[in-house]
Amino acid sequence: MLENLQVKQFMTGKNIAFTKEMNLQTAVEKLLASNLIGGPVVNESGHVVGWLSEQDCLAKIIEASYYSDHSALVEDVMSDSPLSIPSTLSIVDLAQKMIHEKPKMYPVLDEDNIYVGLITRKMVLGAMKTQL
């Protein structure tokens, strides 16, 4: 049954994460190597405290090249109100959420609100296709 499928069954692991203190240039290299459109910013405890997207990086790089300032940190450009989802959320509920909200991917949290993985729209579509 589709309703019984949970996010944790289809998410990827923690294949990308950033810290607030990370140099933006390092973060961009990590983002490019991942082939993802963004990733969570986590603190020492593993809690998601922000989100860094390709769009955030582009804006800052344009500004940095104009002003010759290459000292930006992740915390200077990240969104500090990231959306996240619990690993136990049903795939159907997440699919409905993705229809009505903008994010194409979400950080996934365990019961202690610790970052445990990512799930994308493509993964949700794949999970739902398995049940067709």
Side-chain angles (χ1 to χ4, degrees):
M1 295 284 298
L2 207 51
E3 295 79 32
N4 297 334
L5 300 179
Q6 293 184 330
V7 166
K8 63 184 168 188
Q9 296 169 266
F10 299 95
M11 68 182 198
T12 66
K14 298 186 287 186
N15 49 356
I16 193 167
F18 307 100
T19 63
K20 287 174 135 185
E21 302 78 24
M22 186 180 283
N23 176 292
L24 188 60
Q25 186 172 346
T26 303
V28 167
E29 289 168 8
K30 197 172 181 179
L31 194 56
L32 289 171
S34 76
N35 287 320
L36 296 171
I37 58 171
V41 181
V42 296
N43 65 15
E44 315 75 47
S45 309
H47 292 102
V48 176
V49 295
W51 184 265
L52 183 69
S53 71
E54 292 171 328
Q55 190 173 7
D56 299 328
C57 295
L58 277 174
K60 190 61 179 180
I61 288 171
I62 290 169
E63 180 185 314
S65 66
Y66 185 76
Y67 295 108
S68 298
D69 174 19
H70 302 287
S71 61
L73 300 176
V74 167
E75 71 179 328
D76 298 330
V77 298
M78 71 180 202
S79 160
D80 57 4
S81 52
L83 298 172
S84 59
I85 56 164
S87 63
T88 55
L89 185 67
S90 99
I91 284 292
V92 173
D93 290 345
L94 178 55
Q96 290 174 332
K97 185 178 184 68
M98 287 180 146
I99 291 168
H100 300 291
E101 291 182 8
K102 193 175 181 178
K104 296 174 181 74
M105 65 190 298
Y106 288 87
V108 180
L109 309 180
D110 69 9
E111 55 280 346
D112 297 318
N113 287 324
I114 303 294
Y115 171 56
V116 293
L118 288 171
I119 192 155
T120 66
R121 207 184 285 165
K122 187 171 291 218
M123 291 171 197
V124 172
L125 190 59
M128 295 187 79
K129 179 187 167 287
T130 64
Q131 297 299 305
L132 294 178

